[in-house]
Amino acid sequence: LFSLFMASLFTDGKPINQNKVQYLAVNIYNTSTEDNSYTSKEEYPLVQGPIIENVLGDYFELKEEKPNIVFIMVEGLGRDFVGEGAEFGGFTPFLDSLTTKSLYWENFLSNTGRTFGVLPSLLGSLPFGKSGFMELEEYPNKLTMFSVLKNNGYHTSFYQGTNSSFDKVDRFLNSENVDFILDKSGFGIQYQQQAEDAAGSSWGYPDKELFKKSISLERNEDQPRLEVYMTISTHEPFIPPNQDFFETKVDQILKNGDFGSRETKIIEKNNNVFATLLYTDDAIQWFMESYKSQPNYDNTIFVITGDHRLIPIPQRNSISRFHVPLIMYSPLLKKTRKMSSISSHFDVTPSILALLDNAYEMKMPKKVAWMGGALDMETAFRSTKNIPLMRNKNELKEYISKEKLYTNGDIMELDENMDISSTFGGSGVEKSLERFKSVNHYVTTENKIIPDSLTIFSVQTEKFTPAEITWINSIYDGSNFDRSFFKARDLAFNKKWDDALLLCRYILSESPSHIDTKILSGRLHIWKGNYEESVKILKECIAMNPNYIDSYAALFDVYFWYDKHAEGLALVDIVQENSASANEISNKIARAKTSARKAGIKNYETSKDTTNSTLASIE
């Protein structure tokens, strides 16, 4: 019936724009992110041989030990603000200088127009699914740089100043067995959150605080590292630390710069946005300088790119939103190079893994299923790739096929300035887009990206029986994990511990960073007499969020109930060092000290060191 309805809106394949209802239906069809028309006999259409050309090899003097790889994904960092010829140049002076010392792609593209897609595209070269890969209800088998490098001895980590449950980042990272995750909850009282917005809420920790926290953490000099950072400051509400200082710098740059009337008006109207760009650029410079003190800095490759271009600043055309820089800097570089050819986030993971595989004895998959290929190293402008561009979680209406751009139903042509103009021909572009949509739907809904035999880490999912699912659905309506947590807590208070644990398991399977649920599960285990599991869970909670007082409160109770007086005493200093709310549990702290004194514990420092080392090992 729907196909007949759609057919009635077209004549010879063209829409009849007779009314708004017809236009809306056509627009939904043209901009949808997937369709279910896949008919090929290929069971795994993305699987290909693992041979990706090693285009980076000539530019690096690699050492005997594998290099560290450090990604910095900068919120909103569009090409319009970075590098020679930037429309709004002068507001990222450090990054501008870095482009001249690096491998630099000036006509690079993000594959999505919002942050939700950068991790799967940049670190996994993965398809989108319907609303972004991380939004899939069940993850299909996949390969990413996280899993491949971890399988080759790398320590993997992810750092951001916001809540990792946003966009389900935590769920994606957990599916890749990432070794260490830092988010808003894990900073402690030594770091200052971003100022609150008009609604009285804070996004989290600004970029320099993020980098300071990271630099303070210990690194193993005997193990290569994959570190991935996601910045937040260049995001609404654009209120950087020292805002007046950076806004004064904006005024100075505007006064001394050579901006046209249009650019001048935009900068004046968005003074705080450009001030934030200056702040983030300064934070990245601080990080790059500070990282020189970290183990094996001289054996590190830094990759800096934007997740998409800043949305609030007016854009020149429909491709601007995706136009970001790619900067690859390293002490290992033998020579620099600026590329004007077009590549995308899809091409980064395949190219870096090809570099490593060519130089070291790597355990690599026999076949891969990357959406991209080798980065284009051509210095002159050219466009040779097919690149889907997902504007947001429900729109896919840009698609590059070679030199042609499909956008909003029109076929356009890209030039060396990333401007677009009308062109004749290019009917194959739309067919290529429809083919991508059908494959995108098929491989993500049917678990057909790669077969089980090629997986490194099988996606670990909680298994629930049909009876358990029926019960969970009767309790949880799918609308809010906090509400579900309160139901689990009520069940626990009524001593229905097994039911409460089941509901906790379900919540954590969907939202691994829901710390209140995790603390509740720790308490449930101690109420059921499982001391070891309870302590393990609660220490993980403290490692997740060293400032959150409820984790300490629960662990103090467990130590007291089981007469672990030395451990309880050692926990006193830890809570006072890390939590601004230690006064809220002063009674438990006093109880721990009294119990230790009555037990005759004298070797206080040894107890403290033991507990600290245990917590550190969990991190």
Side-chain angles (χ1 to χ4, degrees), residues 37 43 113 153 236 251 270 303 309 354-355 403 457 521 600 604:
S37 63
E43 185 178 7
E236 294 162 322
D251 294 338
N270 298 278
V303 183
R309 185 226 196 245
L355 170 70
E403 74 282 357
F457 301 125
S521 69
Y604 169 77

Side-chain angles (χ1 to χ4, degrees), residues 223-274:
Q223 183 179 20
R225 308 183 295 275
L226 170 62
E227 298 182 5
V228 180
Y229 295 82
M230 181 73 240
T231 73
I232 65 161
S233 294
T234 38
H235 189 287
E236 294 162 322
F238 303 107
I239 43 177
N242 302 319
Q243 186 168 354
D244 291 343
F245 169 79
F246 288 107
E247 287 188 353
T248 299
K249 290 190 70 173
V250 171
D251 294 338
Q252 293 170 349
I253 293 170
L254 187 57
K255 179 180 178 180
N256 299 324
D258 184 22
F259 297 100
S261 59
R262 174 184 176 273
E263 288 76 21
T264 298
K265 290 178 182 178
I266 291 172
I267 295 168
E268 289 176 341
K269 185 178 179 180
N270 298 278
N271 185 281
N272 61 324
V273 178
F274 288 91

Side-chain angles (χ1 to χ4, degrees), residues 453-513:
S453 60
L454 295 179
T455 58
I456 294 176
F457 301 125
S458 297
V459 177
Q460 300 297 317
T461 57
E462 277 279 7
K463 302 297 183 183
F464 300 97
T465 67
E468 288 174 334
I469 291 294
T470 299
W471 181 83
I472 289 169
N473 288 336
S474 72
I475 294 293
Y476 174 62
D477 61 6
S479 62
N480 188 294
F481 283 124
D482 289 335
R483 190 177 305 162
S484 188
F485 159 73
F486 290 129
K487 291 183 178 180
R489 190 181 64 178
D490 290 343
L491 288 167
F493 288 165
N494 290 320
K495 296 188 177 181
K496 296 181 179 180
W497 295 333
D498 289 334
D499 288 343
L501 269 176
L502 174 58
L503 192 52
C504 286
R505 279 176 53 213
Y506 177 75
I507 296 169
L508 292 171
S509 73
E510 294 294 318
S511 183
S513 62

Side-chain angles (χ1 to χ4, degrees), residues 378-562:
E378 178 59 48
T379 58
F381 175 81
R382 72 177 183 182
S383 181
T384 64
K385 298 174 178 287
N386 292 329
I387 306 174
L389 303 169
M390 191 174 182
R391 187 176 294 192
N392 52 50
K393 288 185 179 180
N394 57 14
E395 282 187 312
L396 203 171
K397 53 186 179 182
E398 275 84 27
Y399 186 86
I400 290 176
S401 182
K402 310 298 190 290
E403 74 282 357
K404 306 295 184 184
L405 167 68
Y406 177 89
T407 177
N408 290 323
D410 296 321
I411 305 296
M412 311 294 281
E413 189 162 84
L414 280 169
D415 67 17
E416 65 275 10
N417 298 313
M418 297 298 275
D419 289 325
I420 61 176
S421 57
S422 299
T423 186
F424 295 102
S427 60
V429 180
E430 195 167 358
K431 291 180 181 178
S432 183
L433 171 58
E434 294 308 315
R435 164 70 177 172
F436 167 76
K437 287 183 178 180
S438 69
V439 171
N440 176 52
H441 172 81
Y442 168 71
V443 299
T444 55
T445 60
E446 302 296 328
N447 191 14
K448 297 298 183 182
I449 296 179
I450 57 172
D452 293 344
S453 60
L454 295 179
T455 58
I456 294 176
F457 301 125
S458 297
V459 177
Q460 300 297 317
T461 57
E462 277 279 7
K463 302 297 183 183
F464 300 97
T465 67
E468 288 174 334
I469 291 294
T470 299
W471 181 83
I472 289 169
N473 288 336
S474 72
I475 294 293
Y476 174 62
D477 61 6
S479 62
N480 188 294
F481 283 124
D482 289 335
R483 190 177 305 162
S484 188
F485 159 73
F486 290 129
K487 291 183 178 180
R489 190 181 64 178
D490 290 343
L491 288 167
F493 288 165
N494 290 320
K495 296 188 177 181
K496 296 181 179 180
W497 295 333
D498 289 334
D499 288 343
L501 269 176
L502 174 58
L503 192 52
C504 286
R505 279 176 53 213
Y506 177 75
I507 296 169
L508 292 171
S509 73
E510 294 294 318
S511 183
S513 62
H514 200 283
I515 193 166
D516 286 325
T517 300
K518 198 171 180 72
I519 293 169
L520 178 58
S521 69
R523 285 190 175 277
L524 284 163
H525 277 288
I526 199 61
W527 294 336
K528 287 170 63 67
N530 191 343
Y531 170 81
E532 296 295 338
E533 184 65 16
S534 176
V535 170
K536 174 179 176 291
I537 291 171
L538 293 173
K539 285 182 176 179
E540 288 174 353
C541 291
I542 292 174
M544 283 172 60
N545 187 340
N547 186 36
Y548 196 46
I549 199 63
D550 288 14
S551 306
Y552 298 100
L555 190 54
F556 270 122
D557 286 343
V558 171
Y559 285 151
F560 177 73
W561 294 334
Y562 274 76

Side-chain angles (χ1 to χ4, degrees), residues 133 153 191 290 316 540 547 553 611:
F133 191 91
Y191 300 90
S290 301
R316 292 182 297 121
E540 288 174 353
N547 186 36
T611 303

Side-chain angles (χ1 to χ4, degrees), residues 179-248:
D179 293 310
F180 175 73
I181 300 170
L182 172 73
D183 74 352
K184 179 180 178 179
S185 66
F187 278 73
I189 60 178
Q190 302 95 330
Y191 300 90
Q192 185 65 43
Q193 286 197 48
Q194 181 175 292
E196 294 180 348
D197 59 20
S201 62
S202 172
W203 262 96
Y205 292 86
D207 299 342
K208 198 166 187 178
E209 296 295 280
L210 170 69
F211 293 136
K212 284 181 178 178
K213 175 67 176 180
S214 163
I215 292 297
S216 75
L217 301 173
E218 290 187 10
R219 290 169 170 84
N220 183 354
E221 63 180 344
D222 297 323
Q223 183 179 20
R225 308 183 295 275
L226 170 62
E227 298 182 5
V228 180
Y229 295 82
M230 181 73 240
T231 73
I232 65 161
S233 294
T234 38
H235 189 287
E236 294 162 322
F238 303 107
I239 43 177
N242 302 319
Q243 186 168 354
D244 291 343
F245 169 79
F246 288 107
E247 287 188 353
T248 299

